[in-house]
Amino acid sequence: MHIDNNLVKQAIEDRRHLHQHPELSGKEYETYTFIRNRLESLNIEILNYQPPSVVGYVKGTNGSKTIALRADIDALPIMEEGDKPYISKNHGVSHACGHDGHTAVLLAVAHWLSNNRNEVGPNIVLIFQSAEEITPSGADQLIKQGVLEQVDAIFGIHLWQGLEKGKIGLTHGPMMASIDDFEITIQGSGGHGSMPHETVDPIYVATQVIQSFQSIISRNLNPIDAGVITVGKIEAGTSYNIIPEQAKLIGTIRALTPHAVQTIQRQMVKFTEGICLTYDAKGNVDFIYGTPPLVNDREVALFVESVIRQCFDGEVFTLVDPVMGGEDFSYYLQKKPGAFIFVGMGGEKSQYPHHHPKFDLDEDVFPNAIKLFIEIIKNYY
């Protein structure tokens, strides 16, 4: 199947418009209006979901099955760098993760659906989702509003800088990590730096806690499971010669399976409380829960793999390694079978990683992304 050049041209124009007018998570109201107006112009039904997310609906010729296609629409609080002609006009905000491209691709698919309704077997739900980048998650909110109630399977893409341009890939299971943060407070007993024997030094206790955490990864976690514990911030003390009363450790946890998440969190609490007890300190661990691990449904992932192998030229398909970044598409996959797919664009045009001030999409891969969604629609069983 060849993607019409006009469809690709429109997608590029849409993407560049969105790129110049990025909006932060939960505040994408101009983006909402842009998407809604376009869907209405295509005579696509708009379902009643809370803005700034937009949900469209196209009834299929068969209608016995319903699939959802999702694009995230929010931007990041990052000052864009570079001299591209479509650079962000919103000071301090930019599409540094590619959501402008995801939105433009799904709008192009909406165009195709509007013009080819007789080729569409399943019912199609088009999810333009707000607030992927923050907690509470836009995906979680839409699910609570009932967006998946009639859906049999859901598909999403990410234009991915970390995958070679021209490749399309996914996993048959865990693909992206959970994101949970933590704050640990260690309460000691302060005093003069020259008399540590009269104190309970929370800084020293904190160092023991930090070192112990790495044994959780190497000794408590199944070696087959991936996990990360990073202490990214330590707060303690006011002067060189004062042992403080308190130390705080702030960091993040990443894991690829729910069991690994539970193991890491359970052991972090045990180690913190046990080490603090040993040194007559008190320790408290608070978790700030984010998105769960993103785990593709094996059967649906194999379906996507077969579509890519049958419908694309050459060695386009690749099995990718899981990554420890997170994605709130994981919420959808907790509720319904589905697959999240990387469309590779790494190369000369897209050489900076996601969330970098100079990040940019390679628009040459738009035809692959548009075609992928359309072929999933046409081949869905």
Side-chain angles (χ1 to χ4, degrees):
M1 175 189 173
H2 175 73
I3 301 301
D4 183 82
N5 288 334
N6 290 327
L7 200 62
V8 176
K9 182 180 178 182
Q10 183 65 60
I12 292 172
E13 289 179 4
D14 288 345
R15 180 259 165 163
R16 294 188 177 190
H17 168 82
L18 294 166
H19 193 88
Q20 290 180 82
H21 302 90
E23 296 174 288
L24 293 176
S25 305
K27 302 177 181 179
E28 312 97 324
Y29 289 100
E30 288 185 14
T31 305
Y32 162 84
T33 300
F34 180 84
I35 296 166
R36 186 181 179 99
N37 288 345
R38 178 63 59 78
L39 295 182
E40 288 176 342
S41 75
L42 296 170
N43 295 315
I44 290 177
E45 180 183 357
I46 308 293
L47 302 182
N48 186 26
Y49 288 91
Q50 185 176 340
S53 291
V54 188
V55 181
Y57 179 78
V58 176
K59 185 169 180 57
T61 57
N62 183 326
S64 63
K65 296 284 188 179
T66 299
I67 64 174
L69 309 176
R70 176 272 209 166
D72 38 16
I73 68 175
D74 53 333
L76 289 158
I78 294 174
M79 176 69 74
E80 187 169 18
E81 298 177 4
D83 56 1
K84 59 177 78 76
Y86 47 88
I87 198 166
S88 171
K89 295 180 180 180
N90 188 353
H91 184 79
V93 181
S94 64
H95 271 294
C97 197
H99 298 185
D100 51 338
H102 304 164
T103 303
V105 164
L106 195 55
L107 284 173
V109 174
H111 273 269
W112 182 87
L113 287 167
S114 179
N115 294 329
N116 299 274
R117 293 176 188 258
N118 62 325
E119 297 184 42
V120 181
N123 305 317
I124 308 297
V125 178
L126 301 168
I127 300 174
F128 295 87
Q129 179 212 305
S130 165
E132 188 276 328
E133 296 284 0
I134 64 168
T135 301
S137 150
D140 193 32
Q141 293 177 56
L142 280 171
I143 291 167
K144 289 175 180 175
Q145 295 170 41
V147 75
L148 294 181
E149 285 181 2
Q150 304 301 319
V151 169
D152 295 292
I154 183 165
F155 302 88
I157 65 163
H158 205 307
L159 303 172
W160 197 248
Q161 189 276 333
L163 181 62
E164 178 187 349
K165 178 179 177 179
K167 297 288 188 179
I168 302 176
L170 79 171
T171 66
H172 296 150
M175 183 156 172
M176 300 187 76
S178 59
I179 305 177
D180 296 311
D181 299 332
F182 61 86
E183 292 186 4
I184 298 173
T185 302
I186 298 172
Q187 188 68 41
S189 177
H192 200 285
S194 67
M195 293 177 280
H197 59 292
E198 296 181 357
T199 74
V200 175
D201 185 349
I203 294 178
Y204 178 75
V205 177
T207 65
Q208 303 303 304
V209 170
I210 292 170
Q211 291 185 77
S212 75
F213 283 171
Q214 298 315 310
S215 73
I216 297 173
I217 303 301
S218 66
R219 288 297 176 266
N220 296 125
L221 205 61
N222 187 327
I224 303 302
D225 295 332
V228 174
I229 305 172
T230 294
V231 177
K233 185 178 182 181
I234 303 174
E235 295 178 355
T238 58
S239 181
Y240 73 98
N241 63 347
I242 300 173
I243 293 173
E245 293 277 332
Q246 188 181 90
K248 263 191 173 182
L249 308 177
I250 301 169
T252 190
I253 305 165
R254 304 296 170 99
L256 288 173
T257 67
H259 178 71
V261 174
Q262 294 164 8
T263 299
I264 291 170
Q265 292 179 351
R266 181 181 66 249
Q267 293 301 109
M268 285 180 67
V269 172
K270 287 175 65 176
F271 279 34
T272 300
E273 292 179 349
I275 290 170
C276 286
L277 181 63
T278 300
Y279 292 102
D280 294 324
K282 292 182 180 179
N284 183 70
V285 183
D286 287 322
F287 293 108
I288 300 94
Y289 298 102
T291 56
L294 189 156
V295 182
N296 282 336
D297 179 87
R298 179 173 174 79
E299 182 179 347
V300 177
L302 287 169
F303 159 72
V304 173
E305 177 180 345
S306 70
V307 168
I308 297 168
R309 290 188 184 279
Q310 292 170 19
C311 302
F312 288 81
D313 296 331
E315 299 297 319
V316 171
F317 176 77
T318 184
L319 281 173
V320 301
D321 292 328
V323 299
M324 300 309 284
E327 233 287 351
D328 77 351
F329 194 83
S330 57
Y331 283 108
Y332 299 118
L333 295 179
Q334 283 188 324
K335 301 295 183 181
K336 296 288 182 176
F340 196 62
I341 309 144
F342 287 164
V343 177
M345 61 175 185
E348 184 177 353
K349 177 68 184 295
S350 186
Q351 56 182 289
Y352 293 98
H354 299 272
H355 295 208
H356 190 282
K358 292 185 179 180
F359 171 83
D360 200 6
L361 295 175
D362 188 335
E363 295 164 341
D364 288 348
V365 306
F366 280 17
N368 274 359
I370 296 167
K371 180 178 178 179
L372 176 60
F373 267 150
I374 292 172
E375 294 293 357
I376 287 171
I377 292 168
K378 292 171 69 175
N379 288 277
Y380 185 74
Y381 41 84

